[in-house]
Amino acid sequence: MDFQLRKDARKWFKDIYANYSILFDLYYLCLMVGFAAGRRNTQITAEDVDSLVENFPGDFRDCGRRLVGLLIHADLAYLGIDLDERDAVYRRVAELVDPNSPSDLSNEGIKIMNQYAHGGFDVLCENFSDRPTSIETFLRKYARCLSDLQTADAPRS
């Protein structure tokens, strides 16, 4: 299974895409927001996406295991599995990870990661009044969006 970028996301980013070296950069932007929001979109079909790559490309290869770790962290929280529930944690990790895969993810792991990227794109669309037309404005709004998501998720004292 490949990492996938929604076709509507590709259109949404079209004015700023030239500022990024590979399409996976756009996937990553969506993925980080999906992780931060704890949002998955399971409604996206094969007709709605473009396949990107089956492994973490370029500079992402070096941080691939961090992305796998973020996926595990986000998915355990999404499913309500506490880290103290060792058997449940081990079962879920075994479902998401395949050490023999180039990306260290099973097909299920890539599918779930794609769902977080799709959900992250939904969050971006909800938080931006218009699609981005300049990289400077996009980065400011993107940083604010991530900050707001982290603040909203922070434990209350």
Side-chain angles (χ1 to χ4, degrees):
M1 176 170 253
D2 291 343
F3 295 105
Q4 302 168 339
L5 183 66
R6 287 170 49 175
K7 291 178 182 177
D8 55 346
R10 196 172 182 164
K11 289 177 188 173
W12 194 77
F13 284 112
K14 75 177 182 173
D15 290 334
I16 65 167
Y17 171 64
N19 295 281
Y20 295 100
S21 58
I22 55 177
L23 277 175
F24 197 87
D25 289 320
L26 305 179
Y27 177 90
Y28 176 82
L29 292 169
C30 295
L31 180 64
M32 291 300 103
V33 172
F35 283 161
R39 176 88 93 43
R40 288 172 34 183
N41 182 330
T42 60
Q43 304 303 309
I44 303 301
T45 65
E47 295 81 34
D48 299 328
V49 298
D50 290 323
S51 288
L52 298 177
V53 291
E54 66 180 15
N55 191 4
F56 298 111
D59 292 337
F60 291 99
R61 194 167 295 124
D62 293 337
C63 65
R65 289 198 171 158
R66 284 189 200 104
L67 293 175
V68 172
L70 287 170
L71 170 66
I72 292 167
H73 174 77
D75 203 50
L76 291 174
Y78 180 85
L79 297 172
I81 300 173
D82 189 273
L83 292 177
D84 292 331
E85 301 173 53
R86 290 180 154 231
D87 290 340
V89 169
Y90 288 133
R91 271 193 309 276
R92 189 58 182 162
V93 169
E95 292 171 1
L96 298 174
V97 174
D98 177 0
N100 297 317
S101 164
S103 66
D104 291 325
L105 289 169
S106 66
N107 283 339
E108 175 72 5
I110 293 173
K111 176 180 135 189
I112 299 297
M113 190 173 274
N114 287 336
Q115 290 174 354
Y116 278 103
H118 302 329
F121 178 65
D122 292 337
V123 172
L124 287 174
C125 289
E126 292 164 7
N127 283 276
F128 281 68
S129 53
D130 295 309
R131 67 178 186 76
T133 56
S134 78
I135 191 68
E136 298 82 11
T137 303
F138 170 74
L139 289 175
R140 278 194 314 274
K141 287 182 177 181
Y142 182 84
R144 189 176 322 120
C145 178
L146 274 179
S147 178
D148 290 349
L149 290 168
Q150 291 172 339
T151 302
D153 193 38
R156 310 276 187 246
S157 48

